[in-house]
Amino acid sequence: MAELLGQVADVDIDPDGVFKYILLRVTVKGGAQSKDIVRDHIFEKVNPELEKLGLECNCLGGGKIEHNSQEKKIKVFGLSTGYGKADHSVTVEKLKTVYKDYDITWSDDKK
C-alpha cells in the first residue's frame, strides 16, 4: 500500500507566477496510510486522477503561492474561497522537500 502513495509526487506546482494551490490528504482506499500533497490544480482535476490509482483524497484547504524561480523564492499566503485556508506551515514543509535551496516563507496575509 505504501508503494501506491510513493507513486504520487509530494508537490506539483507551476515553475513561476502567482497561482492558487490546494493542500490534499491522500489515503489508500480502505487503508490507514496517508500523506499530504500540494497541487496548483483544482480539486476536481486532481481527485479523478488519484482515484484511478486506488487512492482517496480530501482537500485540507488552500491559498496562493508566489513562485519566483530566478530568485529561488516561494511565498505561501491567503486562503481558498471554496475550501478555506490550508495550514501553510504544512505546505511550506512539503515545498522544502522539493525546493531545497529556496527561501520559502508563509503568512496569513491576503496578498
Side-chain angles (χ1 to χ4, degrees), residues 25-36:
R25 177 153 297 143
V26 181
T27 309
V28 176
K29 282 187 182 174
Q33 293 178 315
S34 68
K35 78 174 189 176
D36 295 342

Side-chain angles (χ1 to χ4, degrees), residues 38-94:
V38 177
R39 293 292 183 269
D40 64 356
H41 315 301
I42 57 173
F43 181 74
E44 288 75 16
K45 181 180 180 227
V46 177
N47 192 38
E49 294 172 4
L50 294 173
E51 283 183 339
K52 286 179 194 172
L53 296 173
L55 300 168
E56 298 172 331
C57 65
N58 180 29
C59 188
L60 303 176
K64 291 188 177 178
I65 290 177
E66 182 178 342
H67 187 176
N68 184 329
S69 61
Q70 286 194 326
E71 293 183 17
K72 293 194 173 189
K73 289 185 177 181
I74 296 176
K75 180 181 176 187
V76 180
F77 62 98
L79 57 96
S80 164
T81 52
Y83 299 108
K85 185 175 98 53
D87 184 340
H88 296 325
S89 65
V90 172
T91 302
V92 166
E93 289 308 309
K94 286 290 170 183

Side-chain angles (χ1 to χ4, degrees), residues 10-16 19 38 40 65 67-69 72-74 91-104:
D10 286 355
V11 176
D12 184 5
I13 62 170
D14 285 339
D16 273 296
F19 46 86
V38 177
D40 64 356
I65 290 177
H67 187 176
N68 184 329
S69 61
K72 293 194 173 189
K73 289 185 177 181
I74 296 176
T91 302
V92 166
E93 289 308 309
K94 286 290 170 183
L95 291 169
K96 285 180 178 179
T97 65
V98 176
Y99 299 96
K100 294 176 173 47
D101 57 345
Y102 270 58
D103 177 23
I104 304 175

